[in-house]
Each structure stands twice: as C-alpha cells, then as structure tokens.
Amino acid sequence: MISFRLDAADLADTRFAISPLREVMGSLRALRAPALYPLHVRWRAAVLQKLDPADARLLAALVGDTLALPDFLTPRPMSFAPTLDEQLTVVRATPAPTVRRDLLAAHAPRPLPTALRAVTAPGDAPVAELLEELCELLRRYWESALLPSWPRMRLVLEADITHRARQLATGGARLLFADLHRNLRWDDGVLRVDRMRGRHHVDGSGRGLRLVPSLFAHQPAPPVSAAEPPMLAYPGRGAATLWEPESEPDAPALTALLGAPRSTLLRLLAEPLPTVELARRLGVTPSAVSQHLRVLHATGLVTRARDGRRVLYRRSPLGERLARQGRD
C-alpha cells in the first residue's frame, strides 16, 4: 500500500492536469501487456506495424516486469496542460543519480535490460547520452503513435476532469476519491492506494496533490519513489469511446439548428483559435465573430482560455458531440 497524508493546504492545492508524456508512458504499458488494455487492441496493432524494431526494443525496456514506470519519465505536471516539449525539457534536466535510481526501481528486483545498462557505467556522461536518446525516442513515438489522435484524446480527458471537478465541488474529497477507483480509500486525512507492490508513506507537506487522468491506466498509479511529491494517475472515463470510427458531421442538420455562421464556427473550432484568426478564415470582421462566439459560449458549445494576450476558443465536449451528430 502507498499512502499520501494531505493536510488542509494540500487539499486546497489539489489540482487536475493533463500530461502528454504520461499518456506516452502509459501507452507503453498497453504495448507490453495487451491483456490489461482490451480497449486499445486495434490501436496497438496499428502502432506495432509502424514501429521500428530497434525503437520498440528500447521502448519496451522502459517498462518493468511489474509494469512500473521510471518516475523521471512521468514528471509531475506544473501547469494544467503542459506540452510534450515542456515535459521533455523537464526530463532532460533530470540529475544522473535520479535517472539511475528510477530505472533501477522500475525494474527491481530484476537487473536492468541490456538496452539501459549504460546508466550503470561510471560517471554522468553515459547517463546524459542515454537521457538524450530517450527524449528523442519518446518524441518520435509520440508523433507516430499518439499525436494524430491527441485532439480527441484531450477532449476525453477534459470531459473526465469536468466530471471530477463537479464531484469535488458537490461532495468534497471523500466523494471524489471514492469514485476515482475501488483501490483508493480516503480516511482521516490520508489517501491510501491499495494493491500496490510498493509500501511507503508520503507526507504532502503543503505541496498539494496532482490528479492526472489517463486513457492508458488500468488502476491508480502513484510515483514509485517515496521521494516524489504527491501525484496520482488514474483511469479516465470515456476510454471506450476513444477509437470509435469518426464520421463527418451532418452539415445541413447542424446548419438548420444553429444557422450557417455558428455551425461554420463550430466546425472550425476543432482546434483552439483566436477571434482574429476565425475572422480571417471566414472573411468577416472580428466583431461579427465575437457576437456568435458569445452565443456559442453561453450555450456551452465552446470553451475559452487565455493564452497570453489572446483568448482561444475551441469546441467543448458538448459542442464536439453536436458537431458529430451525423454518426448513426
């Protein structure tokens, strides 16, 4: 059992986050143990067909026999939705002793696979070399295996977070943790993760808890090391819908419901876009676009978020479903 003691400050700093690198590493588990991930069988077959054999061997070496992952390759997200590049920058800064510790811990009690034994060589240079190789490998794998589906994956993850945030608001921490997974228990300020191979206790000490939904988690997954701050990846809702075939929206029906300008905007907002860019694509004034965006936002069909001086709009999960109503 692994447990986290969370005081009032930790609970106040309990946040959700989306982690592309966590999905990368979680997906390696699905490649390694397909029986635990039946929802991803077709995706797995497609990925293995494209994967270079040398890359496949090194990727497999990053997952222990118990499906443990090295903590330095699943860094704690410091923002709501860091990019893969931002997370790989964190990975590249990992000290050599931490890389050694985490790789050995992920494979304990067995020895390291041959592909990773460079980290046991004297000095930090072999570790730095391997670290750079791993970052480049994970980038190639991300671009091939997950990036094409990432917009859809992110929508599913965001929908899960919306559901969990509502539970936290209406039922507090007890309701939130009770519904995350049957292996989680919240009692007297301690969050316990049962059925774990490791046994240690982590004191939050005001560092807060990061909750990271994952479409490649079959059970809650805390860090392997007790030295890491509180973080928990958990199985996200909606994974069963992820690989359903997509169909084109029924444009006439959508136009009849929303009107031509708003239905066109909804179709464009499959990706985050600012008002000025939408106006440029449609050949109208930004003020005209703003009027329609206000209506779409007020009805819950689009979300908005500030990015520096810009406000980006994108389809909400509800807007996404509406845009795909052509599916039978």
Side-chain angles (χ1 to χ4, degrees), residues 66-77:
T66 63
L67 300 186
L69 300 172
D71 287 341
F72 78 93
L73 290 177
T74 55
R76 190 187 204 212

Side-chain angles (χ1 to χ4, degrees), residues 100-122:
R100 290 192 184 96
R101 179 202 73 185
D102 291 353
L103 288 174
L104 289 167
H107 287 279
R110 297 179 63 85
L112 286 175
T114 303
L116 299 177
R117 287 183 187 167
V119 301
T120 61

Side-chain angles (χ1 to χ4, degrees), residues 111-194:
L112 286 175
T114 303
L116 299 177
R117 287 183 187 167
V119 301
T120 61
D124 292 349
V127 178
E129 223 173 279
L130 177 64
L131 197 56
E132 186 60 33
E133 182 182 0
L134 292 179
C135 287
E136 290 305 313
L137 170 65
L138 293 173
R139 166 179 287 288
R140 289 197 304 274
Y141 173 74
W142 156 262
E143 291 174 349
S144 171
L146 294 181
L147 182 57
S149 303
W150 183 242
R152 192 172 183 184
M153 292 173 67
R154 177 163 170 161
L155 281 172
V156 176
L157 293 169
E158 287 179 350
D160 175 89
I161 290 174
T162 299
H163 171 76
R164 307 298 180 185
R166 187 180 300 117
Q167 286 184 308
L168 182 61
T170 58
R174 191 176 302 279
L175 176 61
L176 170 66
F177 295 133
D179 192 56
L180 281 181
H181 197 271
R182 62 182 178 275
N183 290 358
L184 294 178
R185 291 183 292 128
W186 169 252
D187 184 52
D188 196 26
V190 178
L191 178 62
R192 294 176 173 85
V193 189
D194 293 329

Side-chain angles (χ1 to χ4, degrees), residues 31 40-51 144-145:
L31 296 183
H40 302 306
V41 169
R42 278 193 235 173
W43 168 86
R44 178 179 181 273
V47 168
L48 289 176
Q49 283 182 351
K50 297 184 291 184
L51 206 52
S144 171

Side-chain angles (χ1 to χ4, degrees), residues 217-234:
H218 68 285
Q219 63 182 16
V224 175
S225 171
E228 297 296 317
M231 184 176 77
L232 190 68
Y234 65 88

Side-chain angles (χ1 to χ4, degrees), residues 21-45:
L21 188 52
R22 173 72 217 188
E23 294 306 89
V24 166
M25 297 304 298
S27 73
L28 298 184
R29 285 174 163 168
L31 296 183
R32 178 81 178 265
L36 293 176
Y37 301 90
L39 298 177
H40 302 306
V41 169
R42 278 193 235 173
W43 168 86
R44 178 179 181 273

